[in-house]
Amino acid sequence: MVEKQENTRERLYNISKLNVWFAISSIIFFVVLIWSFADDYSRSWKDYQRQFRQLQITKTNIRLIEEKSIFEETEEYKEILNKLEEIQIQSAQNIDEIANAENELVKKKTEYIRAEQRYNFSKADYDAVKYEYEEAVAHNSREAEELKKRLDQIHNELSDYRLAFEAAKENVEKQAMEVRSFSADIKKLKRRKNELAGRANILENKLKNIDPTHMTVSNKIANTLRDLPFFDFMSPYYKVNQVVVIDVTDNVNFTRVPKVDRCITCHQGILNTEFEKDTQPFKTHPRLNLFLSSQSPHPVEKFGCTSCHAGRGRGTDFISTVHMPSSSEQEKEWEEKYQWHQLHNWETPMLPIQYIEASCFKCHSGETFIENADKLNLGMNLMERAGCYGCHKIEKYKDKRRIGPDLNKIASKLNEDWTFQWIKNPKSFRHNTWMPQFFGQSNNNDPNSRVRTDQELKAIVHYLFKHSSDFPLDPIPVDGDIERGEKLVASLGCLGCHRIEMNPFEDETTLQTLRRDHGPNLIGMGSKTTPEWIFTWLKQPESYFPTTMMPNMRLSDLEAADITAYLNTLKRAELMEKNVPSIDENIIDEIALGFLKKMNSDSDARRTLSNMDMEQKLDYNGKKLIRLYGCFGCHNIPGFENDKPIGTELTYEGSKRIERLDFGFVDIPHTKHAWFTQKLKEPRIFDHGRINPPDEKLRMPNFEFKDMEVEALVTVLLGFVKEETMHTKVSPRTARNVFVEEGQWIIRKYNCQGCHLIEGDGNAIGPTIKEYLVNYENMSESEADAVNTSYNPPNLVGEGKKVQPQWLHHFITNPEIIRPWLKTRMPKYALDNDQVNTLVKYFSYLDDQDFPFVNTVIPDVNSTMVKTGELLFSDDYFACGKCHIVGDKLPGGSVDNWAPNFSLAKDRLKPDWIIDWIVNPQNLLPGTKMPTFFDPDYFEWSGPDDIFDGDEHKQIIALRDYILTIE
Amino acid sequence: MMRESIRLYMLVLFLNGIVFAEGSISGTVKFEGTAPKIESITMEADPVCAAKHDSPITYEYFVIGEGNTIANIFVRVINPPIGDYKPPETAAVIDQKGCIYDPHVQGVMVNQPIEILNPDGTLHNVHALAKVNREFNQAMPKFKKKIVKKFDKEEFMITIKCDIHPWMGCYVGVSTHPFFAVTGEDGKFKISGLPPGTYEVEAWHEKLGTQKASVTVKDDTSANIDFSFSRSTK
C-alpha cells in the first residue's frame, strides 16, 4: 500500500498502462509506416507499365513465331542445319586431332611471346649501352673500348633474337591457319544462319530482357528483385520516364522551371508504330511523321508533350495530369473508370483533342497558313470572313479593313424598307449571308422588345439614309441581253467568289467552300437594288466602295449591260411583301430619353427631348444605336470613321482566367472551351435569367455558325495565348518566310485561290467551269471532265520559276490576254504598288528563285542556234505556229485551240523555264494542251535526226533561243 | 507455283472449251427515236487536212445504219471467267489518215502495244486524257510517222484527242481480258470464247452513256442480248 502510494506520488501515470499504450501506438505507427511505404510503392503508373510489358511480350512472341515461320521453312535454312549437324558429328570423330592442333597453337603462341620479349629486352639493353658508349667517347673515357665490345656483343645477340622472334611469329600464323581450317566451314554456315534468323534473333534478345520465361535463372531472380520495395532505388524495371525540355519553361507562380513531361511513363507505346491498333494509354501517336519522332519537325526531346497538349506534365496519374474529356460521354466514362474530376487549381488543363491545334499558335502565330493544321486554318478563315476583329480587337488582325460593304452612299443602292427588313432578318433574304442577326434573339424576342427593336431599326435606317452622300449612277448605254449575261456570269470567273444558290446547302465548311463565299450569294440582286447601280458597280466597283474586294472585271459596256440584265432577273420578292411598321413616337421618345439620361439629369434629359423634332430624335437615336450595336465594326458609316470597336479584346483570350468568364445561370461545364462554344452558338445566352435594361443587354449578333465552324473558331480562340516561353521554337523570320507569309495574306484577302491553284490548293471555281462546258458548250460530262483543266484559270504552280518578276508586276497591274481560249478573265485589282511587289516576291521566294531576276540569255539573231531554232520551229519540223500565235500571225481554226503568243515569251518567261517546259510540259503542268515533242520514255531518240546530229538537248536550246527573238 | 497452277487451270479451261465448245454472247444495238442530224467537219484549221478529202466528212459520234442500228458501241463483259489473260502481240492501230482517227472506238488489252500512225505529214498531238493510266500528250510532227504506246491498267474509256485539230477524237477501252467487242454500222457485236456461266455485260456509247444487262451462256450456244439506246437514256 505504502509502496503504491509512493508510486502514485512519484509518477503521474500508471507505468504498466503506459506500456500497453506505448505498445499499441508503436504497433499503429508500424502499421502506418508499412501502409505509407506500401502506398508509396503502389502507383497506378506501375500497373500501366506492367500491362504494357505484358502487351509487349505477347506482341514480340507473336512476331517471333511469324518471323521463324518465314525462314525456318526455307530450303536453305534446313540445309544449313543439316550441314552443321554433319560437321559436328565429324568434328566429334576428329576430336583428338583438333585438340592437338589447338594445344600446339597455344604452345607456339607462348614461344612467340617469349621470343618477342627476349628481343625487346635485348633491344633496350642495346640502347642503354649505346648511350653509355657514346658518352664515354665524348668524354674520352677509358671505359669506351670496353663498352664498344659489349655493344657489339649485344648487337649480335639482337639479330639472333630477332630472327628467332620472326620465325616464332610465322609458326603461330601457320598453326592458327591449321586450327582455323577445322572451324572455317562452321563459321561460314553459322554466319549465314544468323543472317537468315537475324530479325528473329533480335526479337529473341528482346524477349530475354522483358519476358521472364525467356530469362536465365539468375536474370529471373534479378528481375524479381530489382522491383521489390527498398531494392527498387537502384535499377528498377518499372520507373518514371520523363522528357526534360530546357528551353521551354512552365510557370509555377513567381518563377519558371524547365518543362518536365512524364507522360511517356504510362503512354509507353507512343513512339512505337507496333501499337497503332492498341487502346490508350499504349496507343501509338497518330501523327508520328509530324510529331515526337526524331525525323519529325517536332521531336519529343525538343518539344515535350504538354507544349502542345497542355496539362500537368509532372503528374504521374490520370487525375493529377489534368486529362480533359472531349465529350460529355467520355466524361461519364472517365468518371466511372478513373473517378475522374477536374483539378481546378491547374490553369492549363489538357486540351480536349478536338481543340489540340490551338497549340500550334504558340509558335506559328505569325503565319498566314499553318500547314497540316486544318481546323486552325479553317477557324482563321472563318474569323476573317465573319470579321470578328471588327468588334473585338485582335492583335493578329490589327489594321485589317472592315469586312462589310461601305454604307457611305447607301441611298444610291438600296431603299429604306429593304434595308429595314434586311437588318431585321438578313438570312431570310440570303440564307448564307455573313451579315449576322442582331434582332429576334433570345434576349430581345419578347413582345415588348420586338416593338422596341423595330423602332430602333427605323432610327438606324433613318440615320444611314440621311447621312448617305450622293453617288451619280451611270445610265445603261446599251440594252443588255439576259441570256448572254447568264452565260457571261457562268464563264467569266464571277463564280470563283460568288454563288447563285437559292437554297441552303449542307456542305461541310472548308477553305474551298469559303472561297466561293468570298463575295455575296447573288440571289435577289434584282429585288435589292436597281439595274443602274449594278451596271455602275460592275464597271467600276471602287468608285462606290474604295476598299472593296470586288475587282474590275474589265467589262465592255455591252458585257456589263448583259450581266446587269441577268442579275436583275434574280428576284426575292417575299421579303419586300412583309410589313414595315410606321414610326411610334412614344417608343422613339423612350429610346431617346434612355440615351439622354445616361449623360444628363432626368429633368435636363426631358427638356432636351422636348426641344427635338422627330427628325432630330430619329437621327439622335440612330447614331446612338449604331454606336451601341457597333455596326461600324464591319461597315464604313458616316460619322463613325474613328470609333473604337465595341467588343472585348480577344488577343489573349486563350489565356484568360476562367473566373473572368461570366457563366451566368447557364448550366454548362466551367471550362473555357465550353463557354466559347456556348457563346458562339447562342451569343445572348448568358443573359438568360437576368433582368437588364435594353441598352445593357448582350449585343453580340448571331452568325448561326454550324457546329464544325464553332469548333474551328473555338480552336483559334483557345490558341490566342500569351506565351513567351516558346520563342526558341518559332520559325525564323527570314526574308523568304516573311515574303511568303505576306504573299499568302494578300492571296487570301483577294481570294486568288477562288480561281487559281496556288501551292496546290484552290481553284474553287473548277466545278462551275465544268458545268459551264456542259451547259453552254454542248459537251458531255466526260468530255467536260477531260478538258476541264485547260479551261480553268491557270494553275500557278512554279509561277516564280516560270515568269520574270518585272513582267508579273506589269501583268497584275495591267492584265492582258495570254491564253486566248480561256473564257475566264483575269480581273484588275485595286492593289497598291507595295502589294503587287509583295505578290511578285512571294512567287519568287516560294520557288526559291533569285530575286531580283537578271536575264543573262540574250540570243544573237544571226547565230546558228537561232537559225536552227527557226528551222525546228517551222512547219517542216515542230510546226509551233499551228497553235501558237506568232507576233501578229494567227493560227488557223477556232480561237479555242490557239496557244499563247510567242512575242510574249521574251519579256514574260524565264529562259531556263522554257527549256524545262519544252522537255516535258506535262511534268510542269499536268493536263496541259501543250504536247510533249520529245518522248519522255525515249528522249534520246525522239528528236529529228538531221539536226545537230540528233542532239535533243541542243535542239531544245536552239528552239528556246529562237523563241526569245520573236517580236 | 501459283502461276503454274493458273496456267494449268487455263489449259484445262481451254481443253474444256475445245471438247465441250465455248459459248458466245452476241446481239444487236439499236438507236431509238429519230436519228440526230450530224454536223459535217470543217477542217479549215489545217489546209493539209482539208486537202485530203474530196467530199465533206461528218462526225462519228452517231453512226446509224439501216434499221436504226448504231455503230461504235463498246460492249464488254464485266465479270470475265477467272484467268491470266495475256495481251496479244499484234499491235492495235490508231490511224490518223486524213486527220480522222480510225477506228473511232476500239478495245485493247492491258499492255497491248498501240501503234499510232501519222501518214498525213502534218503536226498532230495525241492527247490521251487517261485518269487511271498515265496521261500523255505526245506531239507527232511531220517527220514522226509512228509512235507506240501502251496502257498498263484497266480503264474504260480513255478519250484520245488532238488539240490542234479539235474535231479529232477517239476512244479506247483498256481491258484485262479479251471479252469485249465494238459494234459496226449494222449494230452487231459478238464476244466469243466464253465458258458457260452468267455474265454481266455493259454497253457504252460516247454520248448516250452506258447500259448493263445480264445474260447466261449455256454450252456452245450463242446467248443473245440486245441493247437499245435513246437520247433520254443519257
Side-chain angles (χ1 to χ4, degrees), chain A residues 221-400:
Chain A
I221 297 169
N223 176 52
T224 334
L225 209 59
R226 66 195 288 199
D227 287 305
L228 287 180
F230 185 75
F231 292 101
D232 63 359
F233 75 95
M234 289 182 288
S235 167
Y237 183 89
Y238 303 110
K239 56 177 179 281
V240 169
N241 298 317
Q242 61 187 23
V243 178
V244 181
V245 191
I246 305 289
D247 57 347
V248 178
T249 52
D250 274 330
N251 185 3
V252 284
N253 293 335
F254 310 114
T255 182
R256 309 203 73 105
V257 292
K259 192 169 268 309
V260 177
D261 281 345
R262 295 179 173 152
C263 314
I264 46 173
T265 301
C266 297
H267 293 278
Q268 293 221 309
I270 200 79
L271 262 159
N272 189 339
T273 45
E274 260 180 75
F275 299 91
E276 265 162 7
K277 293 197 177 84
D278 288 286
T279 49
Q280 289 291 23
F282 308 129
K283 197 173 172 5
T284 315
H285 195 282
R287 297 176 91 174
L288 281 184
N289 56 341
L290 211 51
F291 302 103
L292 303 187
S293 67
S294 49
Q295 301 88 351
S296 75
H298 308 95
V300 67
E301 61 276 7
K302 290 198 181 146
F303 287 85
C305 309
T306 56
S307 298
C308 297
H309 283 275
R312 200 174 145 266
R314 284 163 194 262
T316 49
D317 72 44
F318 194 78
I319 313 284
S320 71
T321 42
V322 208
H323 282 90
M324 284 295 276
S326 60
S327 63
S328 52
E329 291 86 55
Q330 192 169 49
E331 185 176 343
K332 252 180 223 136
E333 188 194 321
W334 284 5
E335 278 166 1
E336 277 166 27
K337 204 165 159 191
Y338 309 108
Q339 289 74 50
W340 178 84
H341 56 90
Q342 196 192 329
L343 274 193
H344 286 286
N345 54 5
W346 192 254
E347 253 187 70
T348 51
M350 233 176 271
L351 280 166
I353 199 67
Q354 65 265 42
Y355 306 121
I356 187 69
E357 287 172 17
S359 297
C360 306
F361 256 153
K362 285 185 186 174
C363 304
H364 298 273
S365 66
E367 294 168 30
T368 317
F369 178 82
I370 302 168
E371 227 175 301
N372 287 309
D374 297 344
K375 199 175 282 180
L376 198 57
N377 286 324
L378 178 65
M380 280 194 280
N381 275 272
L382 279 165
M383 204 163 251
E384 288 152 26
R385 210 61 97 238
C388 307
Y389 47 81
C391 291
H392 302 281
K393 188 179 164 201
I394 302 171
E395 203 54 33
K396 186 177 170 61
Y397 296 114
K398 204 172 68 180
D399 301 330
K400 296 286 179 243

Side-chain angles (χ1 to χ4, degrees), chain A residues 701-736:
Chain A
N702 196 343
F703 288 81
E704 294 179 24
F705 289 117
K706 296 177 193 161
D707 285 355
M708 63 162 312
E709 295 174 339
V710 171
E711 202 172 286
L713 284 166
V714 173
T715 305
V716 177
L717 286 173
L718 288 171
F720 284 156
V721 289
K722 196 169 190 168
E723 187 89 32
E724 291 117 22
T725 59
M726 308 281 289
H727 63 274
T728 50
K729 311 292 185 194
V730 178
S731 61
R733 316 299 301 151
T734 56
R736 181 190 185 273

Side-chain angles (χ1 to χ4, degrees), chain A residues 351-513:
Chain A
L351 280 166
I353 199 67
Q354 65 265 42
Y355 306 121
I356 187 69
E357 287 172 17
S359 297
C360 306
F361 256 153
K362 285 185 186 174
C363 304
H364 298 273
S365 66
E367 294 168 30
T368 317
F369 178 82
I370 302 168
E371 227 175 301
N372 287 309
D374 297 344
K375 199 175 282 180
L376 198 57
N377 286 324
L378 178 65
M380 280 194 280
N381 275 272
L382 279 165
M383 204 163 251
E384 288 152 26
R385 210 61 97 238
C388 307
Y389 47 81
C391 291
H392 302 281
K393 188 179 164 201
I394 302 171
E395 203 54 33
K396 186 177 170 61
Y397 296 114
K398 204 172 68 180
D399 301 330
K400 296 286 179 243
R401 70 184 270 281
R402 293 167 173 164
I403 58 123
D406 194 319
L407 304 184
N408 278 314
K409 308 173 188 109
I410 188 172
S412 66
K413 179 181 178 186
L414 308 172
N415 66 51
E416 292 195 32
D417 282 359
W418 185 89
T419 311
F420 176 93
Q421 300 290 19
W422 167 257
I423 304 174
K424 189 172 175 183
N425 191 354
K427 287 228 159 42
S428 74
F429 188 76
R430 273 186 192 150
H431 52 83
N432 64 335
T433 179
W434 285 102
M435 169 83 178
Q437 187 114 21
F438 286 81
F439 303 105
Q441 298 300 301
S442 63
N443 67 349
N444 61 1
N445 202 27
D446 56 293
N448 286 341
S449 300
R450 279 212 297 267
V451 174
R452 182 188 159 98
T453 51
D454 273 358
Q455 294 303 318
E456 289 182 350
L457 262 174
K458 291 291 280 188
I460 291 172
V461 174
H462 178 90
Y463 180 91
L464 292 176
F465 279 78
K466 188 184 165 199
H467 294 270
S468 166
S469 40
D470 286 339
F471 180 66
L473 295 175
D474 300 339
I476 307 176
V478 278
D479 283 341
D481 178 82
I482 296 173
E483 267 178 41
R484 276 202 314 257
E486 189 172 358
K487 190 174 171 185
L488 278 171
V489 169
S491 61
L492 267 186
C494 310
L495 303 180
C497 297
H498 296 279
R499 298 173 191 267
I500 304 177
E501 300 210 40
M502 285 301 290
N503 299 312
F505 36 90
E506 282 306 310
D507 301 356
E508 216 170 64
T509 313
T510 59
L511 296 191
Q512 197 75 316
T513 63

Side-chain angles (χ1 to χ4, degrees), chain A residues 744-932:
Chain A
Q744 285 171 336
W745 178 257
I746 294 181
I747 281 165
R748 191 140 101 210
K749 182 174 171 191
Y750 291 96
N751 201 31
C752 307
Q753 285 164 310
C755 289
H756 296 283
L757 262 178
I758 300 176
E759 296 190 50
D761 195 11
N763 186 227
I765 199 173
T768 72
I769 301 268
K770 185 185 156 187
E771 275 171 40
Y772 165 79
L773 292 173
V774 171
N775 296 340
Y776 296 93
E777 297 286 331
N778 208 12
M779 290 191 193
S780 70
E781 294 262 330
S782 57
E783 283 169 330
D785 267 335
V787 298
N788 199 13
T789 336
S790 61
Y791 280 94
N792 263 292
N795 177 348
L796 299 186
V797 60
E799 188 72 2
K801 270 204 183 85
K802 176 178 181 177
V803 303
Q804 302 181 16
Q806 297 87 325
W807 176 86
L808 187 59
H809 188 285
H810 176 79
F811 179 77
I812 295 171
T813 25
N814 273 307
E816 56 188 337
I817 294 175
I818 296 168
R819 297 171 178 79
W821 68 92
L822 278 189
K823 303 285 182 289
T824 50
R825 188 176 295 178
M826 173 74 183
K828 199 172 158 178
Y829 288 89
L831 295 167
D832 61 34
N833 199 38
D834 281 352
Q835 288 175 309
V836 179
N837 275 329
T838 306
L839 273 178
V840 171
K841 283 182 195 162
Y842 160 79
F843 283 114
S844 273
Y845 281 104
L846 194 66
D847 287 346
D848 297 316
Q849 297 288 297
D850 288 336
F851 189 89
F853 166 78
V854 182
N855 189 5
T856 51
V857 183
I858 301 157
D860 173 10
V861 188
N862 296 315
S863 65
T864 337
M865 285 305 258
V866 171
K867 295 280 180 221
T868 318
E870 189 172 3
L871 184 62
L872 281 167
F873 188 95
S874 72
D875 281 0
D876 286 334
Y877 288 92
F878 293 150
C880 308
K882 269 248 153 85
C883 300
H884 285 276
I885 306 169
V886 187
D888 44 17
K889 210 176 131 238
L890 302 177
S894 117
V895 66
D896 281 346
N897 300 297
W898 293 358
N901 194 338
F902 278 121
S903 66
L904 289 167
K906 183 161 49 79
D907 296 323
R908 174 170 173 245
L909 301 174
K910 290 188 174 172
D912 287 348
W913 180 88
I914 303 181
I915 303 263
D916 292 344
W917 178 250
I918 300 175
V919 168
N920 191 354
Q922 296 289 330
N923 254 1
L924 301 185
L925 199 59
T928 176
K929 289 207 283 187
M930 167 82 176
T932 315

Side-chain angles (χ1 to χ4, degrees), chain A residues 537-553:
Chain A
W537 170 253
L538 285 170
K539 288 289 286 181
Q540 253 192 330
E542 67 283 357
S543 65
Y544 176 82
F545 180 4
T547 57
T548 181
M549 296 288 95
M550 169 84 177
N552 187 329
M553 293 300 293

